[in-house]
Amino acid sequence: MNDSENQPQPNPGTRHQPTEHEMMLKAEIARLRENAARATDLSHAPLPQVSRPTNRTLIAMTFLILVVIAGAFFGGYLPRVKVDSAVVADARAGAEALLVVNVSSVKRASELTAIELPGSIQAVTEAPILARADGYLKSRLVDIGDLVSAGQLLGEIEAEEVDHQVMQTKAALHQSQAALEQSIASLEQARANEQLAKVTAQRWSNLLQKGVVSPQENDTYQAQSKAQSANVRALERAVAAARSNVEAANANVERIDDVQAYRKVRAPFAGVITMRNVDTGALIAAGQTLLFRVAQTGTLRTYANIPQAYAEFIHTGMGAKLTFANLPGRVFQGKVVRAAHALDPGSRTMLAEIQIPNPTSTLMPGMYCNVMLDIVRTAPPLIIPGDTLVVRPQGPVVATVTAAQTIHFQTLTLGRDFGKEIEVLQGLQEGQLLVANPNDAVHEGMRVQVNRLKAD
């Protein structure tokens, strides 16, 4: 049997109930039909009648549009064209106009110039005091800063061996003097014997002539006379040697006395003690131990290295001014007392000595100073303003204005730089015009218009 036969069959007399989906489809179909009917009604409706403008209205509107266009033309375009034309004319005039440059002229420096050099103050006379005797420092009577006079006692050295040497040399002197006296006595005795031998020899010679004595006996007395004469000459040499020994012993005594005097250390000249290197009890070695250093500060000096360019103008007696950083506002007067008149091959400078009076001891040795010298030059160099110089790879140059009002860049050889002004040794002539502060617009060969500065 088939399974379909087992399923229940619908009853033809029962009404079918629509589902929710079927209802939504029916509503959508009804809405579409309504819209289609409405569109059909609109398509068959008559169109509204549009009124066309008249010819008079069209002419008025055209005239109005032309007036607006003309007003815009005359009110906006023509002024813009005039402005553009003026700008173009100004640009053309600017291109054709010459560049205006400020110029300064090259001048000759003054014959009187001042150079400023560094210096270091020194004492005119300064000496280290070393010991001349060995021993120990017995006493020290001065210290740094003390004023001393010439020959003043500064210290005393204790050396007992020097006392012993004095006694020994004096004993040797007495011994030499005694030997001299003994030699003199022997000489006197020898001279007496010589005189007796001469008399005896003369007598025997007379007797021999008379035939009283034999020749042999006479020869004996003649030989004795000669021997006594030789003995006298020998003793005279001995006396001379003894006198030399006495003089040597006396000189030795004086030397030891001087050494003993060196035990007292004295100032060689009047001045101030600038250094004290020992104290009481220190071991002193003669010629090696530095005891004191004394300097004269009444007159000081400094040395200045004059550059080669100014060496020929330095002479003895010319004035100098000295300033010190620790004494602002004060200028000390000095003068050149000597110059080397030769240049140092290493620095190409000449050494000059300048002395400065220091009666109040305001200045001290060792101070740093600036030395200013007023120099009168026979051929002063040219000077240019500092703002005209341009430094380029080929060296320092300036923009000169030629007689044809054109620019030419000239290379220079410079001297001293004063900041505001610079010395020129080569490359320019007096009276030439230089461009002040030349910028990139200034180039070689361009024509310019000159404006002289008031300061020039």
PDB file of all heavy atoms in Angstrom, residues 88-112:
ATOM      1  N   VAL A  88      55.672  97.756 -15.386  1.00  0.00           N
ATOM      2  CA  VAL A  88      56.632  97.383 -16.434  1.00  0.00           C
ATOM      3  C   VAL A  88      57.552  98.549 -16.754  1.00  0.00           C
ATOM      4  O   VAL A  88      58.765  98.392 -16.938  1.00  0.00           O
ATOM      5  CB  VAL A  88      55.870  96.909 -17.683  1.00  0.00           C
ATOM      6  CG1 VAL A  88      56.841  96.701 -18.846  1.00  0.00           C
ATOM      7  CG2 VAL A  88      55.122  95.626 -17.398  1.00  0.00           C
ATOM      8  N   ALA A  89      56.975  99.769 -16.795  1.00  0.00           N
ATOM      9  CA  ALA A  89      57.802 100.943 -17.082  1.00  0.00           C
ATOM     10  C   ALA A  89      58.822 101.184 -15.974  1.00  0.00           C
ATOM     11  O   ALA A  89      59.985 101.500 -16.245  1.00  0.00           O
ATOM     12  CB  ALA A  89      56.906 102.164 -17.265  1.00  0.00           C
ATOM     13  N   ASP A  90      58.371 101.028 -14.711  1.00  0.00           N
ATOM     14  CA  ASP A  90      59.312 101.201 -13.594  1.00  0.00           C
ATOM     15  C   ASP A  90      60.407 100.147 -13.640  1.00  0.00           C
ATOM     16  O   ASP A  90      61.579 100.437 -13.375  1.00  0.00           O
ATOM     17  CB  ASP A  90      58.560 101.122 -12.263  1.00  0.00           C
ATOM     18  CG  ASP A  90      57.623 102.309 -12.063  1.00  0.00           C
ATOM     19  OD1 ASP A  90      57.828 103.329 -12.751  1.00  0.00           O
ATOM     20  OD2 ASP A  90      56.706 102.215 -11.215  1.00  0.00           O
ATOM     21  N   ALA A  91      60.014  98.928 -13.945  1.00  0.00           N
ATOM     22  CA  ALA A  91      61.028  97.870 -14.007  1.00  0.00           C
ATOM     23  C   ALA A  91      62.027  98.144 -15.108  1.00  0.00           C
ATOM     24  O   ALA A  91      63.230  97.932 -14.964  1.00  0.00           O
ATOM     25  CB  ALA A  91      60.350  96.515 -14.219  1.00  0.00           C
ATOM     26  N   ARG A  92      61.504  98.620 -16.238  1.00  0.00           N
ATOM     27  CA  ARG A  92      62.415  98.922 -17.348  1.00  0.00           C
ATOM     28  C   ARG A  92      63.339 100.079 -17.004  1.00  0.00           C
ATOM     29  O   ARG A  92      64.531 100.063 -17.309  1.00  0.00           O
ATOM     30  CB  ARG A  92      61.591  99.253 -18.593  1.00  0.00           C
ATOM     31  CG  ARG A  92      62.419  99.470 -19.852  1.00  0.00           C
ATOM     32  CD  ARG A  92      61.506  99.654 -21.031  1.00  0.00           C
ATOM     33  NE  ARG A  92      60.663  98.472 -21.220  1.00  0.00           N
ATOM     34  CZ  ARG A  92      59.647  98.425 -22.075  1.00  0.00           C
ATOM     35  NH1 ARG A  92      59.336  99.487 -22.804  1.00  0.00           N
ATOM     36  NH2 ARG A  92      58.936  97.312 -22.200  1.00  0.00           N
ATOM     37  N   ALA A  93      62.780 101.094 -16.301  1.00  0.00           N
ATOM     38  CA  ALA A  93      63.619 102.231 -15.896  1.00  0.00           C
ATOM     39  C   ALA A  93      64.660 101.797 -14.869  1.00  0.00           C
ATOM     40  O   ALA A  93      65.804 102.240 -14.892  1.00  0.00           O
ATOM     41  CB  ALA A  93      62.736 103.343 -15.327  1.00  0.00           C
ATOM     42  N   GLY A  94      64.247 100.922 -13.942  1.00  0.00           N
ATOM     43  CA  GLY A  94      65.209 100.437 -12.940  1.00  0.00           C
ATOM     44  C   GLY A  94      66.315  99.632 -13.568  1.00  0.00           C
ATOM     45  O   GLY A  94      67.465  99.678 -13.126  1.00  0.00           O
ATOM     46  N   ALA A  95      65.962  98.871 -14.603  1.00  0.00           N
ATOM     47  CA  ALA A  95      66.995  98.069 -15.262  1.00  0.00           C
ATOM     48  C   ALA A  95      67.981  98.948 -16.011  1.00  0.00           C
ATOM     49  O   ALA A  95      69.167  98.627 -16.117  1.00  0.00           O
ATOM     50  CB  ALA A  95      66.347  97.058 -16.207  1.00  0.00           C
ATOM     51  N   GLU A  96      67.450 100.046 -16.556  1.00  0.00           N
ATOM     52  CA  GLU A  96      68.334 100.925 -17.316  1.00  0.00           C
ATOM     53  C   GLU A  96      69.093 101.897 -16.421  1.00  0.00           C
ATOM     54  O   GLU A  96      70.108 102.456 -16.833  1.00  0.00           O
ATOM     55  CB  GLU A  96      67.503 101.700 -18.349  1.00  0.00           C
ATOM     56  CG  GLU A  96      66.892 100.806 -19.417  1.00  0.00           C
ATOM     57  CD  GLU A  96      66.013 101.586 -20.388  1.00  0.00           C
ATOM     58  OE1 GLU A  96      65.837 102.809 -20.133  1.00  0.00           O
ATOM     59  OE2 GLU A  96      65.532 100.998 -21.365  1.00  0.00           O
ATOM     60  N   ALA A  97      68.649 102.145 -15.123  1.00  0.00           N
ATOM     61  CA  ALA A  97      69.311 103.103 -14.235  1.00  0.00           C
ATOM     62  C   ALA A  97      70.606 102.518 -13.679  1.00  0.00           C
ATOM     63  O   ALA A  97      70.760 101.300 -13.546  1.00  0.00           O
ATOM     64  CB  ALA A  97      68.391 103.485 -13.090  1.00  0.00           C
ATOM     65  N   LEU A  98      71.595 103.360 -13.299  1.00  0.00           N
ATOM     66  CA  LEU A  98      72.876 102.937 -12.720  1.00  0.00           C
ATOM     67  C   LEU A  98      72.735 102.679 -11.237  1.00  0.00           C
ATOM     68  O   LEU A  98      71.968 103.352 -10.532  1.00  0.00           O
ATOM     69  CB  LEU A  98      73.929 104.026 -12.954  1.00  0.00           C
ATOM     70  CG  LEU A  98      74.261 104.340 -14.412  1.00  0.00           C
ATOM     71  CD1 LEU A  98      75.283 105.462 -14.481  1.00  0.00           C
ATOM     72  CD2 LEU A  98      74.757 103.100 -15.142  1.00  0.00           C
ATOM     73  N   LEU A  99      73.491 101.685 -10.744  1.00  0.00           N
ATOM     74  CA  LEU A  99      73.499 101.359  -9.325  1.00  0.00           C
ATOM     75  C   LEU A  99      74.215 102.465  -8.554  1.00  0.00           C
ATOM     76  O   LEU A  99      75.328 102.856  -8.909  1.00  0.00           O
ATOM     77  CB  LEU A  99      74.200 100.022  -9.090  1.00  0.00           C
ATOM     78  CG  LEU A  99      74.324  99.574  -7.638  1.00  0.00           C
ATOM     79  CD1 LEU A  99      72.950  99.303  -7.029  1.00  0.00           C
ATOM     80  CD2 LEU A  99      75.210  98.322  -7.543  1.00  0.00           C
ATOM     81  N   VAL A 100      73.587 102.967  -7.500  1.00  0.00           N
ATOM     82  CA  VAL A 100      74.183 104.013  -6.670  1.00  0.00           C
ATOM     83  C   VAL A 100      74.984 103.342  -5.553  1.00  0.00           C
ATOM     84  O   VAL A 100      74.455 102.507  -4.813  1.00  0.00           O
ATOM     85  CB  VAL A 100      73.105 104.939  -6.073  1.00  0.00           C
ATOM     86  CG1 VAL A 100      73.754 105.996  -5.183  1.00  0.00           C
ATOM     87  CG2 VAL A 100      72.290 105.584  -7.186  1.00  0.00           C
ATOM     88  N   VAL A 101      76.268 103.667  -5.442  1.00  0.00           N
ATOM     89  CA  VAL A 101      77.145 103.078  -4.426  1.00  0.00           C
ATOM     90  C   VAL A 101      77.750 104.195  -3.589  1.00  0.00           C
ATOM     91  O   VAL A 101      78.038 105.287  -4.086  1.00  0.00           O
ATOM     92  CB  VAL A 101      78.263 102.230  -5.067  1.00  0.00           C
ATOM     93  CG1 VAL A 101      77.706 101.010  -5.750  1.00  0.00           C
ATOM     94  CG2 VAL A 101      79.077 103.057  -6.045  1.00  0.00           C
ATOM     95  N   ASN A 102      77.926 103.912  -2.295  1.00  0.00           N
ATOM     96  CA  ASN A 102      78.618 104.830  -1.386  1.00  0.00           C
ATOM     97  C   ASN A 102      80.115 104.585  -1.486  1.00  0.00           C
ATOM     98  O   ASN A 102      80.567 103.432  -1.456  1.00  0.00           O
ATOM     99  CB  ASN A 102      78.144 104.618   0.041  1.00  0.00           C
ATOM    100  CG  ASN A 102      76.674 104.928   0.210  1.00  0.00           C
ATOM    101  OD1 ASN A 102      76.137 105.832  -0.425  1.00  0.00           O
ATOM    102  ND2 ASN A 102      75.996 104.161   1.057  1.00  0.00           N
ATOM    103  N   VAL A 103      80.873 105.653  -1.606  1.00  0.00           N
ATOM    104  CA  VAL A 103      82.314 105.512  -1.804  1.00  0.00           C
ATOM    105  C   VAL A 103      83.067 106.331  -0.768  1.00  0.00           C
ATOM    106  O   VAL A 103      82.566 107.311  -0.227  1.00  0.00           O
ATOM    107  CB  VAL A 103      82.734 105.956  -3.226  1.00  0.00           C
ATOM    108  CG1 VAL A 103      82.117 105.056  -4.272  1.00  0.00           C
ATOM    109  CG2 VAL A 103      82.366 107.408  -3.465  1.00  0.00           C
ATOM    110  N   SER A 104      84.290 105.865  -0.487  1.00  0.00           N
ATOM    111  CA  SER A 104      85.252 106.578   0.357  1.00  0.00           C
ATOM    112  C   SER A 104      86.565 106.640  -0.389  1.00  0.00           C
ATOM    113  O   SER A 104      86.868 105.765  -1.215  1.00  0.00           O
ATOM    114  CB  SER A 104      85.428 105.866   1.700  1.00  0.00           C
ATOM    115  OG  SER A 104      84.210 105.787   2.403  1.00  0.00           O
ATOM    116  N   SER A 105      87.355 107.637  -0.111  1.00  0.00           N
ATOM    117  CA  SER A 105      88.619 107.819  -0.827  1.00  0.00           C
ATOM    118  C   SER A 105      89.783 107.280  -0.002  1.00  0.00           C
ATOM    119  O   SER A 105      89.735 107.245   1.231  1.00  0.00           O
ATOM    120  CB  SER A 105      88.849 109.304  -1.129  1.00  0.00           C
ATOM    121  OG  SER A 105      88.892 110.046   0.074  1.00  0.00           O
ATOM    122  N   VAL A 106      90.821 106.846  -0.707  1.00  0.00           N
ATOM    123  CA  VAL A 106      92.055 106.368  -0.075  1.00  0.00           C
ATOM    124  C   VAL A 106      92.837 107.573   0.429  1.00  0.00           C
ATOM    125  O   VAL A 106      93.066 108.530  -0.314  1.00  0.00           O
ATOM    126  CB  VAL A 106      92.878 105.538  -1.066  1.00  0.00           C
ATOM    127  CG1 VAL A 106      94.154 105.042  -0.406  1.00  0.00           C
ATOM    128  CG2 VAL A 106      92.052 104.379  -1.600  1.00  0.00           C
ATOM    129  N   LYS A 107      93.263 107.526   1.695  1.00  0.00           N
ATOM    130  CA  LYS A 107      93.980 108.648   2.293  1.00  0.00           C
ATOM    131  C   LYS A 107      95.364 108.212   2.745  1.00  0.00           C
ATOM    132  O   LYS A 107      95.654 107.021   2.895  1.00  0.00           O
ATOM    133  CB  LYS A 107      93.197 109.203   3.486  1.00  0.00           C
ATOM    134  CG  LYS A 107      91.829 109.774   3.119  1.00  0.00           C
ATOM    135  CD  LYS A 107      91.136 110.318   4.353  1.00  0.00           C
ATOM    136  CE  LYS A 107      89.773 110.910   3.999  1.00  0.00           C
ATOM    137  NZ  LYS A 107      89.071 111.433   5.201  1.00  0.00           N
ATOM    138  N   ARG A 108      96.207 109.196   2.963  1.00  0.00           N
ATOM    139  CA  ARG A 108      97.547 108.964   3.487  1.00  0.00           C
ATOM    140  C   ARG A 108      97.485 109.039   5.010  1.00  0.00           C
ATOM    141  O   ARG A 108      96.867 109.940   5.581  1.00  0.00           O
ATOM    142  CB  ARG A 108      98.521 110.006   2.947  1.00  0.00           C
ATOM    143  CG  ARG A 108      99.956 109.856   3.412  1.00  0.00           C
ATOM    144  CD  ARG A 108     100.648 108.698   2.782  1.00  0.00           C
ATOM    145  NE  ARG A 108     100.736 108.828   1.329  1.00  0.00           N
ATOM    146  CZ  ARG A 108     101.307 107.926   0.554  1.00  0.00           C
ATOM    147  NH1 ARG A 108     101.830 106.817   1.090  1.00  0.00           N
ATOM    148  NH2 ARG A 108     101.349 108.094  -0.760  1.00  0.00           N
ATOM    149  N   ALA A 109      98.091 108.079   5.672  1.00  0.00           N
ATOM    150  CA  ALA A 109      98.092 108.078   7.128  1.00  0.00           C
ATOM    151  C   ALA A 109      98.903 109.243   7.668  1.00  0.00           C
ATOM    152  O   ALA A 109      99.747 109.822   6.978  1.00  0.00           O
ATOM    153  CB  ALA A 109      98.655 106.756   7.659  1.00  0.00           C
ATOM    154  N   SER A 110      98.645 109.585   8.914  1.00  0.00           N
ATOM    155  CA  SER A 110      99.375 110.672   9.541  1.00  0.00           C
ATOM    156  C   SER A 110     100.835 110.296   9.759  1.00  0.00           C
ATOM    157  O   SER A 110     101.172 109.122   9.968  1.00  0.00           O
ATOM    158  CB  SER A 110      98.722 111.021  10.884  1.00  0.00           C
ATOM    159  OG  SER A 110      99.489 111.989  11.575  1.00  0.00           O
ATOM    160  N   GLU A 111     101.709 111.300   9.690  1.00  0.00           N
ATOM    161  CA  GLU A 111     103.133 111.035   9.929  1.00  0.00           C
ATOM    162  C   GLU A 111     103.373 110.569  11.359  1.00  0.00           C
ATOM    163  O   GLU A 111     104.280 109.780  11.618  1.00  0.00           O
ATOM    164  CB  GLU A 111     103.955 112.291   9.651  1.00  0.00           C
ATOM    165  CG  GLU A 111     103.971 112.714   8.184  1.00  0.00           C
ATOM    166  CD  GLU A 111     104.854 113.922   7.964  1.00  0.00           C
ATOM    167  OE1 GLU A 111     105.353 114.472   8.965  1.00  0.00           O
ATOM    168  OE2 GLU A 111     105.043 114.311   6.797  1.00  0.00           O
ATOM    169  N   LEU A 112     102.572 111.055  12.289  1.00  0.00           N
ATOM    170  CA  LEU A 112     102.702 110.654  13.687  1.00  0.00           C
ATOM    171  C   LEU A 112     101.783 109.477  13.948  1.00  0.00           C
ATOM    172  O   LEU A 112     100.574 109.561  13.759  1.00  0.00           O
ATOM    173  CB  LEU A 112     102.342 111.820  14.613  1.00  0.00           C
ATOM    174  CG  LEU A 112     102.443 111.527  16.131  1.00  0.00           C
ATOM    175  CD1 LEU A 112     103.875 111.186  16.506  1.00  0.00           C
ATOM    176  CD2 LEU A 112     101.944 112.718  16.928  1.00  0.00           C
TER     177      LEU A 112
END
